[in-house]
Amino acid sequence: MLRHRISYFADDVVIVTWNGAFIRDTESGAQAALAILEFANSQLLEFRYYDELLDAELERIYPQLQRSGWLYNWLARRHSRAVRQVHSLFIDVTELTDRTENALKIVGDVYAARLFALAAARLGLNEWKGSVQEKLRTLAEIYRFAVEQTAMARGEFLEITVVLILLLELVLILAGAMRL
């Protein structure tokens, strides 16, 4: 447990565990350490929330992409709706995680940076962040897939529409030629 400690002076110490911390410092030093520990804890809560949110969204999107029905598939409704939903969630979570990452800029304060790194390591922030980033990559792949499927379905629709128009013109020409 003492290997997870940090000191700035000889008479202060912060010992961080996964579920608590011991701080011995001046009032102002303790308040600064508490603020850093609270921020690390709030990041943990945010990443856990995003991880759960992304799990729920992925569970919801997979069945939507696997719906069947030739007309539904042909018009690419499932893919275009999924594209909008995935894109919206991807942007929201990416923006929020970026804001979380940038909320604490420890510039020039090596002690504060080391304390935050120690707390982050004890809380497993990197694992939660990695999980969220992996799910965001999965969402990005789903987004690319849905966009490609939508583009292909719309292309097929346009091709069939052109063929039908040509057939209609041919029928009208033949009907006009027979009258003469």
Side-chain angles (χ1 to χ4, degrees):
M1 184 163 91
L2 289 179
R3 65 187 165 143
H4 302 289
R5 65 167 170 63
I6 188 169
S7 295
Y8 192 76
F9 295 112
D11 61 344
D12 67 50
V13 67
V14 177
I15 302 171
V16 180
T17 65
W18 70 271
N19 65 347
F22 172 79
I23 302 173
R24 182 182 186 286
D25 204 341
T26 63
E27 183 68 28
S28 63
Q31 289 301 320
L34 277 173
I36 291 169
L37 295 174
E38 285 177 14
F39 180 74
N41 196 36
S42 71
Q43 270 201 330
L44 173 65
L45 292 175
E46 286 189 41
F47 282 124
R48 287 173 62 182
Y49 170 76
Y50 299 143
D51 186 69
E52 200 172 296
L53 176 71
L54 291 170
D55 278 340
E57 188 64 21
L58 288 170
E59 283 181 29
R60 190 184 64 71
I61 286 175
Y62 286 138
Q64 184 178 351
L65 291 174
Q66 294 173 349
R67 281 189 197 155
S68 61
W70 70 271
L71 183 62
Y72 194 70
N73 291 340
W74 190 56
L75 295 175
R77 290 279 186 230
R78 69 179 173 162
H79 298 299
S80 59
R81 190 173 301 125
V83 163
R84 286 191 303 275
Q85 292 169 345
V86 167
H87 189 44
S88 175
L89 180 66
F90 183 80
I91 288 171
D92 289 346
V93 173
T94 302
E95 178 185 349
L96 293 172
T97 53
D98 286 347
R99 245 191 272 152
T100 301
E101 289 286 309
N102 294 327
L104 181 64
K105 292 291 185 180
I106 304 172
V107 179
D109 191 347
V110 176
Y111 175 75
R114 287 182 56 218
L115 177 57
F116 179 77
L118 177 64
R122 296 296 287 162
L123 293 173
L125 273 181
N126 286 336
E127 289 80 11
W128 285 102
K129 180 181 174 184
S131 176
V132 167
Q133 288 175 337
E134 182 62 35
K135 289 172 184 165
L136 285 173
R137 281 191 288 275
T138 301
L139 270 179
E141 289 298 318
I142 290 171
Y143 176 75
R144 276 193 281 285
F145 167 77
V147 166
E148 289 171 3
Q149 294 299 313
T150 301
M152 287 187 335
R154 287 182 180 156
E156 290 172 2
F157 176 75
L158 290 174
E159 288 173 5
I160 291 172
T161 303
V162 168
V163 168
L164 290 175
I165 290 171
L166 290 174
L167 286 174
L168 179 64
E169 286 181 357
L170 183 62
V171 167
L172 291 174
I173 289 174
L174 290 176
M178 289 183 181
R179 286 187 189 167
L180 294 174

